[in-house]
Amino acid sequence: MSSQTATHSGERGHFPARGLRPRAGTDRVYNFFLRLVAAIFAAIVVLFVWSVVHQSLPAWSRYGLTFLTGTNWAPADEIFGAAPLILATLITTGVALLFAVPVGIGAALTLTFIVPPRISHPLRSIIELLAAVPSVVYGLWGLSIIVPWMSHTVQPWLANVTDSQGIFSGLQVGLGLPTASLVLGIMVLPTVVAVSRDVFANVPRDQIEGALSLGATQSQVLRKVVLPHARFGVLGAVSLATGRALGETVAVAMVIGQSPAMPHSFFSLGSTLASTIAGQYIDSSQLHLAALGACAVILMVLTAVVNFLARLLVRRTAGGQ
Amino acid sequence: MKKTLRGTLGSAAAVLGLAASIAAPVGAATVKVDPILTNDTKISATATVASAGATFDTPFFSAAFPVYSARNSKATVGAYGAGGSGAGQAAIMQNTVNFAASDVPMTAADIAAKSYPTKGTIDDYVQVPVALGGVAVAFHNSEITGNKLYKSNGFNVTSEILAKIYTGAITKWNDTALCAANPKWLKTVNKKKVCALPDHAIVVNARSDSSGTTYIFTDYLHAAQPTIFTAAAAKTTLVTSGNGFIGGSGNQGVAANLENTDYSIGYVEYSYVLLNKTLDAANVVNAAGKSVAISPTSIAAAAATKPTISATNFSIVNATGATSYPISGYSWVMLRKDQSNSKATSLAEAELTVKLVDWLAHSAPKNSGLTFGQDIAAAQGYVALPTQAQTAARNGLKTVTYSGAVVLK
Amino acid sequence: MVERRRTVHDIASRKLRGRKIRSSIYIGFIVSAIVVALIPLGFIVVALLVKGAHVISATFLTATPVQPTLFDQDNIGGIGNAIVGSLVVDGIAALMAVPMGVVIGLYLSERSTRTATILRSVSEIMTGLPSILFGVFSYIYIVTWMRGYSAFAASVALALLMTPVISKAAETALRDVPLSLKEAGLALGARQSTVTLKVILPYAFPGVFTGVLLALARAVGETAPLLFVIGASIIYDWNPAHPSTAMPLMIFNYAGSFYESQQAAAWGVALTLVVIVFALNLAARFVAARMRREQY
């Protein structure tokens, strides 16, 4: 994430160098070399996609689409239905975003428009650094601090308040979907802040000043000028965070309970697509490996689509300026 | 409970004196040391060995290899690749390791399932026992362990209870079956017998990864309760969508989950309950109907009921005998019978492989001041192999040859 | 901003007090977001320092791990081999990813063909794929081919992760090279390759270097792609064909250990790793900032 920040925040592209091809063909070896490396990279990407798809084929041919809809993941009986994994992936990502998006956008607005630079600048740097903290560290923190806090404080309190009714029934083990969602939310928060701050910083000054001079309050400026102008960019930031949350592996594996149950309560344990691959890949039978390969394919498609949308949205904002 | 377990181990600790023994073979003059093992580190040239396999053996091998390396400047014992039994089997079939470890001996079917050109047949391998261990039924229930009834009586489970818990038929701590196994908890209230065990759901823990511990545990459940636990022994995870078990990665994962979760039950390798302050091991009622605590003695007793083990007849779960702990099992090392057709590229490498495994599978003679593999295993919470198993390992290793000549002389 | 606010307030008539209050509430909400954001993030940093700092010592950073025993639970040795492992794995990954990434960056910056557009999109999507997928790829090809776990297999997975990050940074930096410089070189009769090597790459070097540092910072903290390709090792081992270990993997393993000494050590490894990651990031910023100063 910080790579984007570092490379985009400079005044970019003041030399319209796109498509520069001076005297193409004058240097055959050079051009051949460039093409060769590009072709090698393309081949590796194709090989990469193919390897995962190929590994998953036995699972698709055996289970077909019931692999996606089946609600039972029972490796010992060679029954593989990925619905609980897909659901856990979507739920943890969704809840994480519910936390990270409003907080992240609010923080980004604050950093860009409200606090003076001598405060916002160091804060921004800190948050961007936190985006670089390895996910296993978030997992360690979740496992040794959040999990005990959840099981000893939050969950008993929730059960007490709600009298263990409805979605607040069930075991209070600290691990599970809410803990994983919280850790994920905190993890992707710096991403949301950093990317949307860059987007906000690109909102044209004259529009903001124009609105202010017409008597708009600060909040009106933010709501009526800044947010509409930055909406695609913010959506892009959200999509990037979504992609990261969908595919996060170790931090989730450490706190989710690694139990592929269908989510039924607020305290449910779960296992996401990525955490299941991480937990079960070693020392598995052929069909089990194929099923995990199929999970990898689903994950690949999900994240590729989300990322593609993200790039599209970010580019659209950039193009609109 | 815990005190007695620790006490049993204490004596093993006294014998050990691990670090000191590496440096000085004290008093060796008065004790007759096995002639082969006296030469255990004598190899003809410098050599390096590689190994991989079951995570069950990781603490043992991680502690033992540096000790062995320190005994001999010619020998380099590479780190153990703990990738699981299946990975170990694949590695030995492909000749990428000198020996591999597995919780379950390799079978002809395992070899048939693979397509490696170097795999050979089951007769091309020697498989010897290298560790003996037990699977503890660990539980975390502060309400039970905090009660004085527990201090005096412990907590008992039967194979039927375990099989029912792991098939979802028993879901609460105050199930009548649990009270029947722990009759002291039956209280008479208003002239009615009431089960005073906690009225709380049981949080069931299992391994989320493929595991030899799961193999031994399911082997036991199926052997003791074939009609309730119908699935045959397997390493595959018991955690499924339907049963809501908590999955832990590795023994340590399960132990950590148990530690964090009150009212939970699970199964972990024996050593994992020794250290853990919040985990307690339940006594298991064995085939003779006696309630037995897990300990080196009771595991050894189970092993003693079946003196002759082989790679095709190795299961010691649900052992007979009043003092046998019923959830015990061996871990195995496999190597190539003909070392000329192995990873070994020199006689020294073959010698090192065989002698290292031989050393791993033996205890040092009493009062010799030496430390052999099985002494280190005991310090890691395994149980030293019974003498007969040590002999069986030696006999197996004596069939290993290099260029037609027997390696272990 | 401060002056501007005053202007607004001057212009706004007193009748608009209600509007101003509503605005303040809204702004209050927004400002509270940054507090909410900083609390958990602050907790992590504090936990790292409090739990990690006292673990770290010279021995911890240089010794190899010792398996604790029941009788000596506190002796866990150090993480020297994991630091070496990380160095080997990430170094080899960089050796593969940097040339590849830079050349692809060159290709993308020089061409605007359909192929280039597709390649750019593919490469950008690659940066967002879950890293565990690269581990699966490396397992299927490298682990099977090398018949065993190795540091090299981990390097391949990480190289796949780093290449698109580097190519993106390289492309951006190369595009920023003034057209006049390229044209001047070509006008003097230099070959395209000469201009690239002698003019364009040196000019864009700081930008490319920043990208490399950031890619390294990301790779050094990755755990998921290593899980089933690197194996295990407890000794110093510089041979990339051997099984190895790395710092993030050590955190993952120690975090769930039942030895309290290892759980505590996990924080020490985490702090060490975070310091390295931050150092790489700060170095990248430093280079980027200098570059900006020099160019403008």
Side-chain angles (χ1 to χ4, degrees), chain A residues 2-3 6 11 13-15 17-23 27 30-31 33-35 37-38 40-41 44-45 47-48 50-51 55 103 106-107 109-111 113-114 123 125 128-130 132-134 136-138 140-141 143-145 186 189 205 209 212 215-220 222-223 247 249-250 254 274 277-278 281-282 296 299-300 303-304 307-308 311 315, chain C residues 1 4-5 8 11 19 23 26-27 30-31 33-34 36-38 40-41 43-45 47-48 100 103-104 106-107 110-112 119 122-130 132-134 136-137 139-141 149 160 163 168 172 175-176 178-179 182 186 191-193 196 214 221 223-224 227-228 248 251-252 255 266-267 270 273-274 277-278 281-282 285 292 296:
Chain A
S2 13
S3 80
E11 283 84 338
H14 60 193
F15 298 107
R18 194 174 270 266
L20 173 73
R21 287 159 82 186
R23 289 204 248 154
D27 203 337
Y30 172 76
N31 281 315
F33 176 70
L34 281 197
R35 275 203 207 110
V37 175
I40 291 175
F41 179 68
I44 293 175
V45 174
L47 202 65
F48 161 65
W50 167 244
S51 66
Q55 182 169 55
V103 173
L109 284 173
T110 313
L111 287 179
F113 298 109
I114 294 171
L123 279 184
S125 303
E128 280 172 8
L129 272 182
L130 285 167
V133 169
V136 68
V137 175
Y138 284 96
L140 174 66
W141 178 73
L143 184 64
S144 59
I145 294 173
I186 292 168
L189 183 58
R205 284 277 150 197
E209 281 162 16
L212 284 168
T217 60
Q218 229 179 345
S219 82
Q220 282 173 325
L222 295 185
R223 276 181 294 150
T249 310
V250 285
M254 289 162 94
I277 301 173
Y281 202 81
I282 277 188
L299 196 55
M300 195 191 286
T303 47
N307 275 289
F308 184 71
R311 309 281 162 189
R315 195 164 299 142
Chain C
M1 218 72 258
R4 217 169 282 132
R5 204 179 316 167
V8 179
I11 294 166
R19 237 180 55 164
S23 172
Y26 184 76
I27 300 297
I30 290 175
V31 174
I34 195 145
V36 173
L38 285 173
L41 297 172
F43 263 130
I44 293 179
V45 174
L48 267 174
M100 180 83 116
V103 175
I104 291 165
L106 260 177
Y107 180 91
E110 284 186 8
R111 272 145 230 254
S112 53
L119 196 65
V122 167
S123 157
E124 285 185 355
I125 289 172
M126 289 277 284
T127 55
L129 287 184
I132 192 163
L133 296 179
F134 303 124
V136 172
F137 168 78
Y139 181 87
I140 293 173
Y141 285 113
Y149 307 124
L160 217 55
T163 307
K168 170 90 190 163
T172 314
R175 275 192 192 287
D176 283 347
L179 195 55
K182 298 183 195 173
L186 291 168
R191 284 161 164 270
Q192 173 74 57
S193 56
T196 302
L214 289 171
T223 318
L227 282 174
F228 31 78
I251 302 174
F252 185 67
W267 286 97
L273 182 62
V274 167
V277 170
F278 279 8
N281 268 280
L282 290 173
R285 277 152 183 274
R292 227 167 275 146
Y296 304 117

Side-chain angles (χ1 to χ4, degrees), chain C residues 14 39 76-77 103 128 134 148 155 161 167 176 221 223 227 253 270 273 284 288:
Chain C
R14 289 194 182 79
I39 288 172
I76 52 142
V103 175
F134 303 124
S155 302
L161 184 105
S167 76
D176 283 347
T223 318
L227 282 174
N253 290 333
L273 182 62

Side-chain angles (χ1 to χ4, degrees), chain C residues 218-277:
Chain C
R218 188 176 160 197
V220 82
E222 279 291 348
T223 318
L226 314 184
L227 282 174
F228 31 78
V229 302
I230 198 170
S233 169
I234 48 164
I235 52 168
Y236 275 107
D237 200 335
W238 293 87
N239 188 339
H242 288 173
S244 183
T245 189
M247 282 184 279
L249 203 61
M250 209 144 186
I251 302 174
F252 185 67
N253 290 333
Y254 278 4
S257 167
F258 74 97
Y259 286 110
E260 278 170 14
S261 50
Q262 288 189 332
Q263 288 175 11
W267 286 97
V269 194
L271 181 58
T272 316
L273 182 62
V274 167
V275 167
I276 292 172
V277 170

Side-chain angles (χ1 to χ4, degrees), chain B residues 58 84 136 138 188 252-253 295 320 393:
Chain B
T58 314
T188 312
Q252 70 273 30
S295 74
T320 53

Side-chain angles (χ1 to χ4, degrees), chain B residues 89 93 104-113 121-122 127 311-312 314 334:
Chain B
Q89 294 186 354
M93 282 187 233
V104 189
M106 199 157 65
T107 63
D110 289 335
I111 298 175
T121 68
I122 190 75
Q127 307 195 66
T312 48
F314 55 86
M334 52 201 101

